[in-house]
Amino acid sequence: MVAISASIIASTSSGCSGHGSVILHLGFSTTVTLRTHTNTMFIFLRFLSAALQLTCSWSSLLSVAVCCRHDWTQMQPCKFSQVFFFCLRISMEDQNDWHPEEIPGVREALKNNDIAAAVARIQQVLERENNIPLNIAITGETGSGKSTFVNALRGLSNGDEGAAPAGVVETTSEVTPYPHPNYPNVTLWDLPGIGSTKFSADEYLMLVGFEKFDFFIIISDTRFRENDVKLAQEIQRMKKKFYFVRSKIDNDINAEKRNRDFNKEETLTKIRDDCVHRLRDLGVESPQVFLVSSFELHLYDFSLLHKTLERDLPKNKRDALLRAMPNISLEIINKKKKTFKHRLYWLAAQSALGAAVPVPGLSIAVDAALLVGVVTDYVFAFGLDVPSLKRLSDRTGVPYADLQAVIFSPLAAAEITKELLLKVIVQLGSVATLIAAEEVSRFIPFIGIPIAMGLSSITTYNILNLILDKLADDAQKLFEMTLNLKIKDE
Ligand code: GDP
């Protein structure tokens, strides 16, 4: 038997917690006397020391410090979980936004030492958020551009597989739902124009089942008519929101370009003012009209329409809308990234709690199932899945291989499987050390579990953070590439 006296002195400085200015030097010094037949423990200590030094997040160190200050031999796993919730919260940019213990069921589960139930509750909340239904009604007269708008919002072009049929001779005579190809919880409803139905506005709304819609978009490719206004007033009476969209603005701009004194901004102001005056004359108090081209959502008022919808929708519906939004601006790509970053804390907490439950096999392999779903969501939201990239290639005329050439992440343009993800994860430098350290730490008596929880949450956080940054970068590069081509064409 060999007695090893080991002293680990790990000091770290943190900069990754979201508070860039916070520099925390935490001295963690302990002397551990261990008896072992092999050098396994020595290897472990090296791993642990490396992991502690590598990790930028200070939450695990703080929690270890908190555990060590207490009589940790008396601590129950639920207390460790509470420490982690506390540490995760204080490492957040917006701490007020994150209260896991307030989720019905989580507090009770922790009180009862039922970590598995707490994890399940958090998972339920995340899943529910992913499946919040959002129903958008698009109405307007035949030929006004409803179907084309529905397709554009779903990231499709007219004629794509699954696209709403569009064309001058096509008519929308029925209420037709078009689920978003990647987010079936977001549905766009193509409604017949009220003028083609011979129903009064209230009968029309009853007929189309107005209750299920979160808001209405009333489209016109010319001036708005009396019917549009009657419908808007009835929608308001039913306590729902409506937005006026003046479509096919590219046609107007192209027609006006022929004039010698053409000025784009003046032309847009003229069209907007004309619509607003007309709506006022028909009795709408302070109308707002959005000028849109479904072929060029990145131009004119579409971004403003999105911002207005975001402002009016409740938070969970706002997130559903954002995820489904086509990447028509760098701002939208950044907002998606920010929303996903915010959710990292939930996922890290889920992973930390999961690590507290002794599971056979590698913890990262268990987490991989969770990670596959999350990463697939990132890939869809950034339009980096194969079908979205093929559609982008068709729409822009850029060969698919050229689009692939600007993509760096091995997770873009690929089917996300557990195997692919694990392959990518082990190549993420410091993450591999964290994974190894987490696995070995489980075998330390008393403080092993809290250390494993800390490392697990940091590992999950780091993996997803790195993957998210890379995918968002790819989405930005693709956006810039296709935008530059459009600018050259104009
Ligand atoms: P719906 O009957 O209201 O569903 O209208 P469609 O979406 O079928 O569009 C009627 C025609 O207008 C089609 O030929 C579309 O290609 C065309 N269209 C629709 N939106 C736009 C647009 O934003 N710009 C231009 N230039 N044409 C559009």
Side-chain angles (χ1 to χ4, degrees), residues 76-79 81-82 85 101 105-115 118:
Q76 299 296 318
C78 75
K79 298 261 175 65
S81 314
Q82 285 158 358
F85 278 141
E101 69 282 4
V106 171
R107 187 192 287 266
E108 292 74 16
L110 290 176
K111 263 191 202 151
N112 297 334
N113 262 355
D114 194 349
I115 290 174

Side-chain angles (χ1 to χ4, degrees), residues 79-151:
K79 298 261 175 65
F80 293 144
S81 314
Q82 285 158 358
V83 169
F84 273 91
F85 278 141
F86 169 73
C87 293
L88 277 168
R89 177 175 303 133
I90 55 178
S91 67
M92 288 185 67
E93 282 171 43
D94 189 354
Q95 298 156 22
N96 296 329
D97 247 15
W98 200 73
H99 298 281
E101 69 282 4
E102 281 174 14
I103 299 171
V106 171
R107 187 192 287 266
E108 292 74 16
L110 290 176
K111 263 191 202 151
N112 297 334
N113 262 355
D114 194 349
I115 290 174
V119 175
R121 274 301 294 145
I122 291 181
Q123 210 161 358
Q124 264 176 13
V125 170
L126 288 175
E127 270 167 24
R128 201 182 52 210
E129 273 189 15
N130 279 347
N131 293 312
I132 291 281
L134 181 69
N135 289 290
I136 306 171
I138 318 284
T139 181
E141 298 313 318
T142 302
S144 58
K146 293 185 301 293
S147 312
T148 309
F149 189 64
V150 163
N151 290 336

Side-chain angles (χ1 to χ4, degrees), residues 141-148 158 166-167 248 250-251 293-295:
E141 298 313 318
T142 302
S144 58
K146 293 185 301 293
S147 312
T148 309
N158 290 348
K248 306 187 190 176
D250 53 313
N251 274 350
S293 162
S294 297
F295 299 149

Side-chain angles (χ1 to χ4, degrees), residues 13 98 200 230 275 340 371 396 418 481:
S13 59
W98 200 73
S200 62
K230 279 188 183 153
C275 290
F340 284 134
L371 298 182
T396 56
K418 228 166 145 173
M481 178 195 191

